[in-house]
């Protein structure tokens, strides 16, 4: 567990890195990818030939005895919700960073992109239940608070339950939001809950994984432990059939995630812990624009 000084130092490092990425790379892409979904009244102006008669402001027209029309502009203020997996499996990693580190940096980039566009950002930490809720707010200090919590928060439980998390969010969120769910999605089924969330919100899944989640190295007999249940077993990684079975299990899980998001109409990104997430995010934003 990091002490306070270490946490503040880490927060500053993440701020410098991710805010720089936001300013130089994602400024335009985020705005284009997530435009305001509504229209708000801005002003009235004189009626011009060809204007839609449905936009005439009859009260102002009657007052001045001259036709005026309402002018509307796109509502830019959005609410971004980050649903963040804090389960024990998210702390696993064998390369340059673990899944939790990657999730933290992704959250920071998304959060700084949101506040640069004057949007609110809120967070739900989850495991096999709802762990912590941070209400949506604006401002740099709020984002730095979120990053501190990402670095220092200790969940009460170890497991992962995507279905219950989405159920909680579906019941709690009244306003349409942009939702990023960051997880390895090592959970039971969640199709129905995801369907409901995707109908109400702009839903994006970001599945993070480590290379060793997908394949085992042929290093002989090793003891492996399930981070969430604590169960251990000996595995002979020298056996090709064992390694193939392990890869098959990962492929099945990945296919379920892909199908679940596709069926719901939501979107899914997949990012490995040793990959360049900048390119993945930029490609995603540009494809939505």
């Amino acid at each position: 567990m990091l002490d306070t000084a270490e946490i503040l130092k880490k927060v500053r490092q993440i701020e410098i890195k991710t805010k720089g990425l936001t300013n130089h790379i994602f400024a335009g892409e985020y705005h284009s990818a997530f435009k305001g979904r509504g229209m708000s009244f801005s002003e009235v102006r004189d009626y011009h030939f060809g204007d839609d008669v449905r936009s005439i402001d009859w009260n102002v027209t009657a007052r001045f005895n001259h036709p005026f029309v309402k002018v509307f502009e796109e509502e830019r203020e959005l609410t971004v919700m980050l649903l963040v997996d804090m389960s024990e499996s998210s702390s696993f990693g064998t390369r340059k960073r673990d899944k939790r580190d990657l999730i933290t940096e992704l959250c920071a980039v998304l959060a700084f992109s949101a506040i640069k566009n004057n949007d609110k950002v809120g967070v739900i930490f989850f495991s096999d239940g709802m762990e912590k809720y941070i209400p949506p707010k604006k401002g740099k200090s709020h984002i730095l608070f979120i990053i501190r919590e990402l670095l220092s928060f200790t969940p009460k439980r170890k497991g992962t339950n995507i279905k219950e998390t989405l159920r909680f969010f579906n019941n709690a969120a009244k306003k349409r939001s942009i939702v990023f769910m960051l997880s390895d999605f090592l959970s039971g089924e969640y199709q129905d809950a995801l369907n409901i969330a995707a109908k109400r919100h702009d839903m994006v899944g970001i599945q993070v994984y480590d290379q060793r989640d997908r394949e085992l190295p042929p290093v002989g007999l090793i003891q492996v432990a399930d981070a969430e249940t604590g169960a251990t077993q000996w595995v002979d990684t020298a056996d090709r059939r064992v390694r193939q079975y392990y890869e098959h299990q990962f492929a099945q899980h990945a296919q379920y995630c892909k199908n679940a998001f596709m069926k719901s109409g939501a979107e899914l990104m997949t990012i490995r812990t040793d990959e360049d997430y900048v390119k993945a995010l930029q490609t995603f934003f540009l494809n939505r624009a």
Side-chain angles (χ1 to χ4, degrees), residues 190 207 253-263 266 268:
Y190 48 83
Q207 183 183 20
H253 165 67
Q255 192 61 49
Y256 173 82
C257 293
K258 184 178 179 180
N259 290 344
F261 276 81
M262 189 180 297
K263 287 177 183 177
L268 180 67

Side-chain angles (χ1 to χ4, degrees), residues 46-62:
D46 289 344
Y47 174 85
H48 300 304
F49 179 75
D51 285 337
D52 190 339
V53 294
R54 292 174 296 181
S55 65
I56 293 176
D57 187 322
W58 294 107
N59 290 330
V60 178
T61 296

